Amino acid sequence: MIGRLSGIVGSVRAEGVLLDVGGVGYEVAMTAKSMAEMPGVGEEATLYTHLHVREDGMSLFGFSTEADRNLFRVLLGASGVGPKVAMAVLSVFSASALVRAVAAEDVDALIQVPGVGRRGAQKVILDLKPKMADLEADVIGGSESSRVRGALEGLGYSSSEIREVLTLLDPSATLSEQIRQ
């Protein structure tokens, strides 16, 4: 699988970029948000990628951050969500806004995405809510909670135990105090 590409931006198109990596031009589909963060033509760029393989072809999707790529992969795991819908979702929502919408079961927010109707939004929320439970605490609690999560995982605690504990922690406490709590 192609996980990351670094090279020279060859051209910018409406649906993505052509990235020249060692003399090979990769056509990479991107969201409007990721394209806005791209350097200009002829400049060096690094993209986190997802190679989507189907029987009729392969498509390469690029993201400016690894977190966006990982969220794209989570979206692909939802029933009825393919790469085009996942890209549309990431074009409309930031990672934190999407996690909050799923956690709040906000169907009206998800139907803003082109190609997602009310039934589709309900189905996506049902599929994604358990998968995004870990992300919810990190997004709502900020980066400190992700560090606490990592430390507790290293100590052998399960995801469900960590989720419970993160809601009880004092966000103003230092990292070491939160881990002790």
Side-chain angles (χ1 to χ4, degrees):
M1 182 170 301
I2 302 170
R4 187 182 72 203
L5 292 173
S6 291
I8 307 296
V9 178
S11 64
V12 178
R13 301 178 178 131
E15 66 281 348
V17 298
L18 179 71
L19 194 66
D20 183 5
V21 180
V24 178
Y26 290 91
E27 291 182 353
V28 184
M30 299 177 68
T31 64
K33 179 185 124 195
S34 290
M35 295 229 353
E37 297 170 359
M38 287 292 297
V41 174
E43 294 183 40
E44 180 82 21
T46 298
L47 297 175
Y48 294 92
T49 60
H50 174 81
L51 179 63
H52 190 74
V53 180
R54 296 184 347 195
E55 63 184 53
D56 62 340
M58 295 186 287
S59 301
L60 193 58
F61 297 91
F63 307 91
S64 55
T65 67
E66 195 169 7
D68 284 345
R69 182 199 53 199
N70 293 341
L71 187 55
F72 176 79
R73 289 176 174 170
V74 169
L75 285 167
L76 289 178
S79 175
V81 176
K84 288 184 181 181
V85 172
M87 292 294 275
V89 169
L90 291 176
S91 292
V92 172
F93 291 103
S94 66
S96 60
L98 179 61
V99 170
R100 283 190 181 102
V102 169
E105 298 182 15
D106 189 354
V107 173
D108 292 331
L110 286 177
I111 60 175
Q112 295 175 13
V113 177
V116 177
R118 183 163 294 282
R119 286 192 124 193
Q122 290 169 337
K123 205 163 139 185
V124 166
I125 288 172
L126 189 63
D127 284 351
L128 291 182
K129 192 157 185 168
K131 294 175 184 175
M132 289 191 167
D134 291 339
L135 294 175
E136 180 183 351
D138 290 345
V139 168
I140 293 169
S143 63
E144 278 297 309
S145 68
S146 64
R147 290 182 184 157
V148 172
R149 174 183 301 285
L152 293 176
E153 285 173 349
L155 291 171
Y157 290 96
S158 71
S159 291
S160 60
E161 291 173 318
I162 294 170
R163 248 192 326 273
E164 260 181 61
V165 169
L166 286 178
T167 60
L168 304 173
L169 296 179
D170 177 15
S172 62
T174 65
L175 177 62
S176 59
E177 289 171 348
Q178 286 184 13
I179 293 171
R180 273 189 234 115
Q181 289 176 359

